[in-house]
Amino acid sequence: MRIVRSAFALFALFAAGCAVDATDPELAVDAPPLSESWTVSTVASNTTWNSGLVANLASGFIHCNLDYGEGYMLTDLSVNEEPIANPAEFIASMNGMCREFDLPAPALPRTGNLGYANIFSAASYRPGLRWAQVPAIDSYPIGLQLRVGGGNTHVKDVRIAYAHKDATGMALDVAAPSYTPWAIGYAGSIVTLSCPAQEVMAGLDLRYDTVAGQIRRVELHCRALAY
């Protein structure tokens, strides 16, 4: 239908002896909105927090774009607290949710498709998931904030930074990012892991202490948005 209508409009203009004007409203009807050019590129970057502790470490990860597809971003994290009997405050288990984005949609980018994975779990932890979740409407994950404790030894809490499209619809407004609530609410020193401008969070790797059950290192994986 699109090809037929555009072809008919061009034929009518030539038949009338008129020059083709790209701004002609009959032709502009079929021009895609600028936001339809959004894609997630192969350009990748990493940013890392590291406690410096290296004993008893094991790896955990979630790679949304590699495991599920180029349009998937890391939008949700669920965590469990340390066991009740443990006096320290820390994240003892973490799961991630990857959601697919329909990038051309300016108001509701999510398609509903998702992937869910356990990133790591300590030997024991308190039941009951606590969430940090990016809103569904025009919200793109661009980084994490961590609360760390014990002299920068472990991760106590986490929340996700996200941005909206700017007024042009062709870039993210990253000057004043928004944040989800903290997953747990623990106090601690704040560490900010931000994707470079116009990049979105596509996954993370971490290292955790298998004896203490605490996260010792977090590496954020970001992918550039192309327009």
Side-chain angles (χ1 to χ4, degrees), residues 60-63 74 77 94 119 144 203-206 219-221:
F61 62 86
I62 184 167
H63 300 149
L74 180 56
L77 292 173
M94 178 181 288
I119 301 171
L144 295 179
L204 63 83
D205 283 70
L206 59 78
E219 180 179 87
L220 199 65
H221 292 205

Side-chain angles (χ1 to χ4, degrees), residues 104-208:
L108 187 63
R110 295 184 182 179
T111 65
N113 297 324
L114 54 87
Y116 184 80
N118 174 251
I119 301 171
F120 95 102
S121 291
S124 60
Y125 50 83
R126 198 178 310 187
L129 290 175
R130 297 179 176 270
W131 289 86
Q133 298 174 295
V134 172
I137 305 298
D138 182 31
S139 302
Y140 299 82
I142 59 170
L144 295 179
Q145 279 195 330
L146 311 175
R147 284 198 184 273
V148 300
N152 201 49
T153 60
H154 64 277
V155 177
K156 300 179 64 175
D157 209 347
V158 64
R159 67 177 179 175
I160 303 173
Y162 59 94
H164 306 292
K165 289 183 182 180
D166 67 11
T168 70
M170 292 300 296
L172 294 179
D173 184 0
V174 298
S178 300
Y179 296 90
T180 68
W182 293 99
I184 302 172
Y186 285 150
S189 300
I190 294 179
V191 173
T192 299
L193 300 178
S194 299
C195 292
Q198 306 310 315
E199 295 193 18
V200 292
M201 184 167 61
L204 63 83
D205 283 70
L206 59 78
R207 302 275 281 171
Y208 68 99

Side-chain angles (χ1 to χ4, degrees), residues 16-35:
C18 299
V20 176
D21 184 354
T23 63
D24 188 285
E26 184 66 25
L27 298 178
V29 166
D30 290 327
L34 293 178
S35 59

